[in-house]
Amino acid sequence: MPLCMGCLNEIPAADSVCSVCGFNNAEKQTAPFLPFGTVLNNKYVVARNLDTNGESTRYLGYDKTNGRIIAIREFLPIGLFDRGADETKLFVSPQDKDAFSAALSAFQSYYEAVMSISDNSAMIPVIDAFAANNTYYVIEENDDLISFNEYVEHNGGHLEWEVARPLFMPIITLLENLHKLGIGHYAVSPSNLFVTSSGKLQLGGFSTENERKRGTMLKSQLYSGCAAPEQYTGDIPLDVPTDIYGFTATLFFALTGKLPANAKDREKDPRLLISTNTVKRLPPHVVSALANGLQMKRENRISDFDDLRSQLSVSSTVQAIQNEISRTASMTPIKREQARKSNVNPTAVGIIAAIFSLLVFASLGLWWLSQNPHLGIFDKKPTTVVTEPPTIEGWTGDVLADYTGKTLQEVAAAYKGEIKVSSDGDYSDDVPKGAVISQEPVAGTPDSYGVLYLVISKGPHLQTLPEVVGKSSKAAAEELTELGYIVTQEVEFNSQYAEGKVIGYKDYKGGDKVETDTEIVLIVSRGEQPADNNTNE
């Protein structure tokens, strides 16, 4: 029996619509993608297109020799070739020949290097590569994988450090091995991570540097929130700190449920906004490693993978104690004898001194951050405890008012200094949408009319879906969009509802509690299905 080009399940020869996935096999694959059923290297069958970037496209595929589902990646640089409908070979114009050849050579060399380490369990294995049709193909495994985004969603929207650590640490080794070969990934993001049926994390989405930075011959694909600042400029080389930024941003997403702001936006406000509750449940050394790996300036960022491992594995306090023990252990016999005669344990003294010094520096650091709120990396989320304004001895000037619960317009009318708003806001069941959740500096702080940082409420995270049956599709879409949902539509014939009226939700019903930012599909009526006017002769 033939295979469905949408899911690769067998379908009866007489059927065109797959009963498993609903794919219509009578349709053709749109040019410039390969036609359905194309056989490559005498064994790989091409099915539907999965995703595309400026350098290559990826198809669902079938290996005829062993019956396994695979992924087929084809070098397909946008703007540098032509291929008509139902054709397989690429044609390159004389003016694009040099650029095409250079990009093809880089792509082939890159994947030859990737294949040399494809037995690494932290990457999606590359099992074959070959030239054909004036281009180059890479065959990847594609069995039993779920997207990392889906995995995090099914685990409550974020992972605990104890869960994330064993998943992510092998990815560091994989990136390290790539850079030893003289190449990098430069697109570590939730979109390129997958979880296997055995619970391992695997990295995919490999592309050359031409695809992972602005200013090259290819149309670049950068992942917002995970792409490092240097990827947005064409004159700075990509290297280890670039991949460390993407890795740390992805780990940040795993632990907090949110990506950092886009690097271009962070040029204006570099802070990483982490809720107090999140900070409390994460080990302090992990929070510190996140901040160090996401530094905007490359010279301040973690610069090698050993340092990244160390910062994620051992807290600074423990490391200081270990260093002090090592230092004491290396004392000369004379010094140890002097310490013994004075009845003082040198190791204990070292540990106490290290801890005392760290406490002093921590206290000074906290005081300094409190005096410089614009340098902080955390936002203060509302709690059920009402805090009293700080005691300010001798201060007779103005102090900051409490703006929580007020709209941005109300704050702008009352505050004389500059106002900056967190780009993504936050959800709140207590503070109405559009009102201030928190401010920094806090109310009662001496007012120097500097910068006031605000976090604005996006309303409740869970909203109740309104009843939309019978409403016009426009009215229903507007209502849902206002609540924070992403609205799409599907149409079908229906004799009960006039054309343009909503029949209902695709996957939900009115009254369901659904997270905002969820895609909501409305089923909209096309009206009554017209009668078949064909008659038998």
Side-chain angles (χ1 to χ4, degrees):
M1 287 195 296
L3 298 174
C4 170
M5 293 291 98
C7 65
L8 295 176
N9 282 293
E10 291 184 341
I11 56 174
D15 293 344
S16 60
V17 178
C18 177
S19 60
V20 176
C21 70
F23 187 82
N24 186 355
N25 288 271
E27 297 179 354
K28 291 185 176 182
Q29 185 129 268
T30 307
F33 305 124
L34 287 169
F36 290 134
T38 300
V39 179
L40 300 172
N41 217 24
N42 295 319
K43 60 178 180 178
Y44 303 120
V45 180
V46 176
R48 65 180 174 88
N49 170 262
L50 295 174
D51 53 65
T52 301
N53 60 35
E55 180 177 65
S56 64
T57 193
R58 197 166 61 101
Y59 306 94
L60 184 66
Y62 180 79
D63 187 340
K64 295 196 301 180
T65 62
N66 55 25
R68 295 185 65 182
I69 295 176
I70 55 171
I72 303 171
R73 186 175 295 277
E74 180 183 36
F75 177 70
L76 211 65
I78 293 174
L80 296 180
F81 72 94
D82 289 307
R83 179 160 63 191
D86 298 323
E87 293 180 346
T88 57
K89 287 188 176 182
L90 299 189
F91 297 92
V92 182
S93 64
Q95 62 266 29
D96 292 328
K97 182 178 179 181
D98 290 344
F100 180 91
S101 297
L104 174 59
S105 178
F107 183 84
Q108 182 172 345
S109 298
Y110 181 88
Y111 266 98
E112 286 173 352
V114 169
M115 283 187 69
S116 70
I117 59 169
S118 64
D119 58 347
N120 189 305
S121 63
M123 66 176 286
I124 296 176
V126 177
I127 55 180
D128 197 3
F130 53 90
N133 299 325
N134 294 331
T135 185
Y136 196 74
Y137 295 92
V138 176
I139 309 301
E140 305 169 349
E141 287 190 1
N142 192 41
D143 284 343
D144 298 325
L145 298 176
I146 65 170
S147 73
F148 187 64
N149 282 303
E150 183 180 351
Y151 179 81
V152 172
E153 182 180 349
H154 288 170
N155 281 272
H158 69 263
L159 305 181
E160 298 301 329
W161 173 238
E162 293 77 11
V163 176
R165 186 182 188 282
L167 289 174
F168 275 83
M169 297 307 277
I171 302 294
I172 298 179
T173 301
L174 171 60
L175 295 173
E176 185 176 37
N177 290 338
L178 284 174
H179 282 271
K180 286 178 180 178
L181 296 172
I183 60 176
H185 190 277
Y186 309 133
V188 183
S189 72
S191 298
N192 286 326
L193 284 175
F194 302 87
V195 181
T196 68
S197 57
S198 61
K200 292 182 179 179
L201 198 60
Q202 288 188 334
L203 181 63
F206 293 87
S207 288
T208 69
E209 187 171 323
N210 288 329
E211 178 62 16
R212 299 309 184 196
K213 62 189 271 188
R214 298 277 193 258
T216 71
M217 68 188 82
L218 301 181
K219 182 180 180 181
S220 61
Q221 181 189 47
L222 305 183
Y223 291 88
S224 180
C226 294
E230 58 266 25
Q231 293 180 260
Y232 290 90
T233 61
D235 55 348
I236 301 177
L238 310 186
D239 52 12
V240 171
T242 309
D243 263 335
I244 286 179
Y245 189 101
F247 173 90
T248 315
T250 307
L251 180 59
F252 183 97
F253 165 81
L255 297 173
T256 69
K258 292 183 179 180
L259 284 170
N262 182 286
K264 300 296 289 182
D265 295 332
R266 292 190 65 211
E267 290 177 355
K268 303 173 184 177
D269 183 0
R271 296 180 306 156
L272 295 170
L273 301 181
I274 309 178
S275 71
T276 303
N277 290 336
T278 299
V279 172
K280 287 180 179 178
R281 65 177 176 79
L282 293 178
H285 68 278
V286 174
V287 177
S288 176
L290 292 176
N292 293 334
L294 288 167
Q295 289 292 318
M296 292 290 289
K297 294 183 178 179
R298 288 157 55 86
E299 60 269 24
N300 296 335
R301 199 181 308 157
I302 298 173
S303 60
D304 66 74
F305 295 111
D306 282 339
D307 191 14
L308 177 62
R309 284 193 196 90
S310 176
Q311 292 200 32
L312 286 173
S313 299
V314 184
S315 70
S316 57
T317 303
V318 174
Q319 187 66 61
I321 292 173
Q322 290 176 343
N323 291 342
E324 182 61 26
I325 292 173
S326 298
R327 185 193 68 79
T328 306
S330 64
M331 290 171 61
T332 65
I334 294 176
K335 288 183 178 180
R336 283 202 297 268
E337 179 63 19
Q338 290 172 345
R340 185 188 64 78
K341 289 181 178 180
S342 62
N343 295 321
V344 176
N345 186 322
T347 301
V349 170
I351 294 174
I352 293 170
I355 294 174
F356 179 77
S357 298
L358 285 166
L359 289 174
V360 170
F361 280 113
S363 299
L364 289 172
L366 289 172
W367 174 85
W368 183 75
L369 282 174
S370 70
Q371 303 304 310
N372 298 272
H374 60 286
L375 298 177
I377 64 169
F378 312 126
D379 65 336
K380 295 180 174 62
K381 299 293 179 66
T383 65
T384 55
V385 179
V386 179
T387 57
E388 294 294 328
T391 302
I392 310 156
E393 296 182 0
W395 178 261
T396 58
D398 293 338
V399 295
L400 278 172
D402 184 0
Y403 294 113
T404 55
K406 297 186 180 299
T407 65
L408 184 58
Q409 291 76 14
E410 291 172 331
V411 178
Y415 187 63
K416 299 177 183 178
E418 182 181 359
I419 298 173
K420 289 190 176 182
V421 177
S422 169
S423 59
D424 54 355
D426 209 341
Y427 298 104
S428 173
D429 294 328
D430 304 315
V431 180
K433 182 178 180 180
V436 175
I437 291 179
S438 64
Q439 66 184 70
E440 189 177 357
V442 298
T445 303
D447 195 348
S448 59
Y449 303 110
V451 179
L452 178 65
Y453 294 93
L454 303 177
V455 177
I456 305 298
S457 172
K458 296 166 67 174
H461 197 192
L462 286 175
Q463 300 264 30
T464 301
L465 287 181
E467 296 290 348
V468 293
V469 176
K471 293 184 178 180
S472 71
S473 60
K474 180 181 179 181
E478 289 177 351
E479 184 177 5
L480 290 165
T481 301
E482 179 63 26
L483 291 173
Y485 295 109
I486 302 166
V487 184
T488 59
Q489 297 181 6
E490 293 182 3
V491 294
E492 61 181 46
F493 290 111
N494 188 285
S495 59
Q496 184 177 354
Y497 296 96
E499 183 176 1
K501 298 295 184 181
V502 177
I503 302 171
Y505 295 106
K506 182 177 181 180
D507 300 311
Y508 304 100
K509 63 181 182 298
D512 284 351
K513 293 279 190 179
V514 181
E515 291 182 356
T516 51
D517 296 328
T518 299
E519 181 179 354
I520 300 296
V521 181
L522 294 175
I523 307 299
V524 179
S525 173
R526 293 179 59 184
E528 188 171 356
Q529 185 169 5
D532 188 352
N533 294 323
N534 295 329
T535 57
N536 296 324
E537 296 183 359

